Amino acid sequence: MHPAPRKLDQEPLSDEDLVGRAADGDRWARGVLYDRHASALAGTVARTLGHHDTALDLVHDAFLYAFEHLGDLRDPSRFRGWLFQIALSRTRTWLRRQRIRRAIGFVSSIEDSTLEMLSGPDASPEARAELRAIDRALRRLSVDERLAWALRRVEGCSMGEVASHCGWSLSTAKRRYNSADRRMTAILARGGAER
Amino acid sequence: MRPIREELRDPVNRADLDEVYHRLEGSLQAGTSSRSWLLPITAATAVAAIALVVWAVWPAPDPGSVQIVATGAPLEHVEGAAEPVRLSDGSSLELERGTRLSAVENGEARVSLLMSPGRSTFDIEPNGPRAWTIDAGPFAVDVLGTRFTVERADHRGRVSVDRGRVRVRGEIVPGGFVFLGAGEHIELTFGDEERAPDEHTSPAPATATEEPGAPEAPSTPEASEPRPRPAAPEAESWEALAARGAYGPAYSAVEADFDAELERAESVEQLFALADTARLSGHPARARGPLERITLEHPNDRRAGVAAFTLGKIEMAIPGRAAEAERWLSRSLELGLSPSLADAARRRLTAL
């Protein structure tokens, strides 16, 4: 007897395969999906929120929801986009609540992962000042504009990815990003001062 | 336009992600959706600490685990003895003296055992709920209900099946895996590439034959119909072949220029491609170079830990290189692994 030349276990499993196994309760598959996507997701959420611990909580909740509702995912190959959509939906909700808290003078947490704070130790004072101005300007945008601009300019997403991650149509994503970019340009031109 | 994040440090680290993963698994096993962000962190930490203490001092056996009938203890570690070890699910293990088995996983759906050099016969209850895997280092055996024997010596391994059907897989198994039915066996050689560099051009180091006088094996495409290896188109590069999983042809294509390719490779992806091509075509020793370069030149890449872990596995398969295996497995934990791989690395370290 000769062995078959086929290979089963040697190619990385696709998200589609892993989602199928995870939906059947395979803990290993869940771990691989987590390992594959958690870092990028947590980075995006943390930079968008500016809150390290809150970002980790939202990532936890997003994965928990995703793993508990894998059966709802019609196209398993889109797991990553779906996961980002879940997390960014929660991010949007949290930012809106934070805005209300701030408006009534009840700010429950201090930002600890702003763009300025995340600048490397070698960043020049000018670069830090620029990042600080962007942080301040982002706070003045609407939540949707902030998401659109952060995903596009901070994360480097394509407009299609912005639309997919936020659950918007492409035209809505473009409209919100263009509006955000105009406002950011104007705010930064004025020195990025807070109101 | 470069995204701003490229100028920033990463806001989350490996430890953060591991902590979230453990919380996540806890939430999933509890079966309840978490709203932990509503809770004060101190309360969550206190609950976790209490749970850890309770778990540590009061370890209730997993009700889904297989237990040793004689002691009632979960199957965790077994050493060779005169009598077979009978298990709660009706299975039994016969280990020659000096042979050790350590459970990497023992749950209601899966039992995974690491086997030291030696000889063990496994009589697994048919139609049981668990998938069994025996990891013998250079090769592993996946099994449902069956009776089979695994032998692992310095430079050779042998799996023979008395009843049922198993799948033997591993880097040293040509094609990556082979199915064996009743009466069939496979013999494997490994770990001598350093002493015999010509082996890279030698025929496959494994053979599978039928036991004389044994009952006829079930006729299955995997077990009885050898399929020719697809010929690689001449124009196809080794990278393209490797990318589509044709590691054997990819290795043949790159073998002569392997060292030059290794010198040219810079990115983690290129180095992993070379390593996989060597490893998965049955030449694990040649995967050392690219894997070592990943750990040395890209220690901050999240895949560096996987490279070190793979080096540990390669060294584990070679007799006399336990110290190197231990060093690489320890290094993999330092570089960072996913929770599941970290668990596997710790288990392997324990088994060394």
Side-chain angles (χ1 to χ4, degrees), chain B residues 190-207:
Chain B
F190 50 85
D192 52 355
E193 290 165 339
E194 286 187 327
R195 291 185 291 105
D198 289 346
E199 190 208 74
H200 299 313
T201 54
S202 300
T207 56

PDB file of all heavy atoms in Angstrom, chain B residues 190-207:
ATOM      1  N   PHE B 190      13.133   8.446  10.695  1.00  0.00           N
ATOM      2  CA  PHE B 190      13.231   9.879  10.925  1.00  0.00           C
ATOM      3  C   PHE B 190      14.481  10.183  11.735  1.00  0.00           C
ATOM      4  O   PHE B 190      15.115   9.304  12.292  1.00  0.00           O
ATOM      5  CB  PHE B 190      12.010  10.411  11.666  1.00  0.00           C
ATOM      6  CG  PHE B 190      11.654   9.627  12.903  1.00  0.00           C
ATOM      7  CD1 PHE B 190      12.269   9.889  14.112  1.00  0.00           C
ATOM      8  CD2 PHE B 190      10.714   8.626  12.845  1.00  0.00           C
ATOM      9  CE1 PHE B 190      11.937   9.177  15.251  1.00  0.00           C
ATOM     10  CE2 PHE B 190      10.383   7.897  13.979  1.00  0.00           C
ATOM     11  CZ  PHE B 190      10.992   8.165  15.174  1.00  0.00           C
ATOM     12  N   GLY B 191      14.773  11.493  11.776  1.00  0.00           N
ATOM     13  CA  GLY B 191      15.763  11.977  12.712  1.00  0.00           C
ATOM     14  C   GLY B 191      17.187  11.737  12.288  1.00  0.00           C
ATOM     15  O   GLY B 191      18.093  12.011  13.052  1.00  0.00           O
ATOM     16  N   ASP B 192      17.441  11.274  11.077  1.00  0.00           N
ATOM     17  CA  ASP B 192      18.830  11.024  10.697  1.00  0.00           C
ATOM     18  C   ASP B 192      19.257  11.900   9.537  1.00  0.00           C
ATOM     19  O   ASP B 192      20.214  11.610   8.853  1.00  0.00           O
ATOM     20  CB  ASP B 192      19.016   9.559  10.325  1.00  0.00           C
ATOM     21  CG  ASP B 192      18.016   9.110   9.294  1.00  0.00           C
ATOM     22  OD1 ASP B 192      17.133   9.909   8.939  1.00  0.00           O
ATOM     23  OD2 ASP B 192      18.116   7.967   8.852  1.00  0.00           O
ATOM     24  N   GLU B 193      18.560  12.984   9.332  1.00  0.00           N
ATOM     25  CA  GLU B 193      18.900  13.821   8.187  1.00  0.00           C
ATOM     26  C   GLU B 193      20.260  14.469   8.339  1.00  0.00           C
ATOM     27  O   GLU B 193      20.980  14.661   7.369  1.00  0.00           O
ATOM     28  CB  GLU B 193      17.836  14.892   8.012  1.00  0.00           C
ATOM     29  CG  GLU B 193      16.554  14.290   7.537  1.00  0.00           C
ATOM     30  CD  GLU B 193      15.429  15.259   7.705  1.00  0.00           C
ATOM     31  OE1 GLU B 193      15.558  16.167   8.505  1.00  0.00           O
ATOM     32  OE2 GLU B 193      14.425  15.082   7.030  1.00  0.00           O
ATOM     33  N   GLU B 194      20.612  14.755   9.590  1.00  0.00           N
ATOM     34  CA  GLU B 194      21.916  15.391   9.775  1.00  0.00           C
ATOM     35  C   GLU B 194      23.046  14.429   9.431  1.00  0.00           C
ATOM     36  O   GLU B 194      24.072  14.824   8.923  1.00  0.00           O
ATOM     37  CB  GLU B 194      22.052  15.831  11.219  1.00  0.00           C
ATOM     38  CG  GLU B 194      21.214  17.043  11.509  1.00  0.00           C
ATOM     39  CD  GLU B 194      21.486  17.557  12.888  1.00  0.00           C
ATOM     40  OE1 GLU B 194      21.771  16.753  13.773  1.00  0.00           O
ATOM     41  OE2 GLU B 194      21.420  18.770  13.055  1.00  0.00           O
ATOM     42  N   ARG B 195      22.826  13.171   9.719  1.00  0.00           N
ATOM     43  CA  ARG B 195      23.868  12.189   9.449  1.00  0.00           C
ATOM     44  C   ARG B 195      23.870  11.769   7.992  1.00  0.00           C
ATOM     45  O   ARG B 195      24.837  11.269   7.488  1.00  0.00           O
ATOM     46  CB  ARG B 195      23.665  10.962  10.338  1.00  0.00           C
ATOM     47  CG  ARG B 195      23.938  11.263  11.810  1.00  0.00           C
ATOM     48  CD  ARG B 195      23.842  10.026  12.652  1.00  0.00           C
ATOM     49  NE  ARG B 195      22.497   9.520  12.761  1.00  0.00           N
ATOM     50  CZ  ARG B 195      22.049   8.460  12.133  1.00  0.00           C
ATOM     51  NH1 ARG B 195      22.821   7.808  11.312  1.00  0.00           N
ATOM     52  NH2 ARG B 195      20.820   8.055  12.322  1.00  0.00           N
ATOM     53  N   ALA B 196      22.733  11.912   7.334  1.00  0.00           N
ATOM     54  CA  ALA B 196      22.620  11.438   5.958  1.00  0.00           C
ATOM     55  C   ALA B 196      22.006  12.511   5.081  1.00  0.00           C
ATOM     56  O   ALA B 196      20.855  12.448   4.723  1.00  0.00           O
ATOM     57  CB  ALA B 196      21.754  10.176   5.907  1.00  0.00           C
ATOM     58  N   PRO B 197      22.811  13.512   4.714  1.00  0.00           N
ATOM     59  CA  PRO B 197      22.254  14.605   3.937  1.00  0.00           C
ATOM     60  C   PRO B 197      21.725  14.166   2.587  1.00  0.00           C
ATOM     61  O   PRO B 197      20.868  14.820   2.016  1.00  0.00           O
ATOM     62  CB  PRO B 197      23.436  15.576   3.784  1.00  0.00           C
ATOM     63  CG  PRO B 197      24.656  14.776   4.124  1.00  0.00           C
ATOM     64  CD  PRO B 197      24.217  13.710   5.037  1.00  0.00           C
ATOM     65  N   ASP B 198      22.204  13.045   2.069  1.00  0.00           N
ATOM     66  CA  ASP B 198      21.726  12.597   0.770  1.00  0.00           C
ATOM     67  C   ASP B 198      20.277  12.162   0.814  1.00  0.00           C
ATOM     68  O   ASP B 198      19.654  11.975  -0.212  1.00  0.00           O
ATOM     69  CB  ASP B 198      22.572  11.422   0.265  1.00  0.00           C
ATOM     70  CG  ASP B 198      23.962  11.893  -0.124  1.00  0.00           C
ATOM     71  OD1 ASP B 198      24.139  13.123  -0.247  1.00  0.00           O
ATOM     72  OD2 ASP B 198      24.848  11.039  -0.269  1.00  0.00           O
ATOM     73  N   GLU B 199      19.771  12.015   2.018  1.00  0.00           N
ATOM     74  CA  GLU B 199      18.402  11.524   2.108  1.00  0.00           C
ATOM     75  C   GLU B 199      17.417  12.437   1.400  1.00  0.00           C
ATOM     76  O   GLU B 199      16.362  12.023   0.973  1.00  0.00           O
ATOM     77  CB  GLU B 199      17.986  11.400   3.578  1.00  0.00           C
ATOM     78  CG  GLU B 199      16.680  10.678   3.729  1.00  0.00           C
ATOM     79  CD  GLU B 199      15.965  11.120   4.976  1.00  0.00           C
ATOM     80  OE1 GLU B 199      15.434  12.233   4.997  1.00  0.00           O
ATOM     81  OE2 GLU B 199      15.931  10.353   5.928  1.00  0.00           O
ATOM     82  N   HIS B 200      17.791  13.717   1.271  1.00  0.00           N
ATOM     83  CA  HIS B 200      16.865  14.644   0.637  1.00  0.00           C
ATOM     84  C   HIS B 200      16.504  14.217  -0.766  1.00  0.00           C
ATOM     85  O   HIS B 200      15.481  14.582  -1.290  1.00  0.00           O
ATOM     86  CB  HIS B 200      17.475  16.044   0.606  1.00  0.00           C
ATOM     87  CG  HIS B 200      17.736  16.554   1.972  1.00  0.00           C
ATOM     88  ND1 HIS B 200      16.814  16.487   2.974  1.00  0.00           N
ATOM     89  CD2 HIS B 200      18.839  17.112   2.512  1.00  0.00           C
ATOM     90  CE1 HIS B 200      17.316  16.998   4.088  1.00  0.00           C
ATOM     91  NE2 HIS B 200      18.537  17.381   3.837  1.00  0.00           N
ATOM     92  N   THR B 201      17.393  13.458  -1.378  1.00  0.00           N
ATOM     93  CA  THR B 201      17.088  13.034  -2.737  1.00  0.00           C
ATOM     94  C   THR B 201      16.702  11.557  -2.786  1.00  0.00           C
ATOM     95  O   THR B 201      16.544  10.985  -3.844  1.00  0.00           O
ATOM     96  CB  THR B 201      18.320  13.238  -3.645  1.00  0.00           C
ATOM     97  OG1 THR B 201      19.427  12.578  -3.041  1.00  0.00           O
ATOM     98  CG2 THR B 201      18.641  14.709  -3.791  1.00  0.00           C
ATOM     99  N   SER B 202      16.559  10.971  -1.592  1.00  0.00           N
ATOM    100  CA  SER B 202      16.235   9.558  -1.538  1.00  0.00           C
ATOM    101  C   SER B 202      14.740   9.335  -1.655  1.00  0.00           C
ATOM    102  O   SER B 202      13.950  10.249  -1.488  1.00  0.00           O
ATOM    103  CB  SER B 202      16.707   8.976  -0.195  1.00  0.00           C
ATOM    104  OG  SER B 202      18.097   9.142  -0.098  1.00  0.00           O
ATOM    105  N   PRO B 203      14.350   8.099  -1.921  1.00  0.00           N
ATOM    106  CA  PRO B 203      12.920   7.808  -1.956  1.00  0.00           C
ATOM    107  C   PRO B 203      12.291   8.048  -0.600  1.00  0.00           C
ATOM    108  O   PRO B 203      12.980   8.204   0.405  1.00  0.00           O
ATOM    109  CB  PRO B 203      12.876   6.319  -2.327  1.00  0.00           C
ATOM    110  CG  PRO B 203      14.211   6.005  -2.867  1.00  0.00           C
ATOM    111  CD  PRO B 203      15.164   6.955  -2.239  1.00  0.00           C
ATOM    112  N   ALA B 204      10.982   7.997  -0.580  1.00  0.00           N
ATOM    113  CA  ALA B 204      10.235   8.263   0.649  1.00  0.00           C
ATOM    114  C   ALA B 204      10.682   7.341   1.767  1.00  0.00           C
ATOM    115  O   ALA B 204      10.902   6.159   1.539  1.00  0.00           O
ATOM    116  CB  ALA B 204       8.749   8.054   0.393  1.00  0.00           C
ATOM    117  N   PRO B 205      10.847   7.885   2.981  1.00  0.00           N
ATOM    118  CA  PRO B 205      11.357   7.087   4.074  1.00  0.00           C
ATOM    119  C   PRO B 205      10.268   6.282   4.781  1.00  0.00           C
ATOM    120  O   PRO B 205      10.470   5.859   5.890  1.00  0.00           O
ATOM    121  CB  PRO B 205      11.912   8.154   5.017  1.00  0.00           C
ATOM    122  CG  PRO B 205      11.054   9.343   4.784  1.00  0.00           C
ATOM    123  CD  PRO B 205      10.653   9.272   3.359  1.00  0.00           C
ATOM    124  N   ALA B 206       9.152   6.099   4.183  1.00  0.00           N
ATOM    125  CA  ALA B 206       8.095   5.361   4.860  1.00  0.00           C
ATOM    126  C   ALA B 206       7.545   4.285   3.940  1.00  0.00           C
ATOM    127  O   ALA B 206       7.511   4.433   2.724  1.00  0.00           O
ATOM    128  CB  ALA B 206       6.966   6.302   5.252  1.00  0.00           C
ATOM    129  N   THR B 207       7.142   3.198   4.537  1.00  0.00           N
ATOM    130  CA  THR B 207       6.499   2.161   3.758  1.00  0.00           C
ATOM    131  C   THR B 207       5.273   1.681   4.513  1.00  0.00           C
ATOM    132  O   THR B 207       5.251   1.674   5.723  1.00  0.00           O
ATOM    133  CB  THR B 207       7.428   0.965   3.546  1.00  0.00           C
ATOM    134  OG1 THR B 207       7.848   0.504   4.839  1.00  0.00           O
ATOM    135  CG2 THR B 207       8.647   1.331   2.726  1.00  0.00           C
TER     136      THR B 207
END
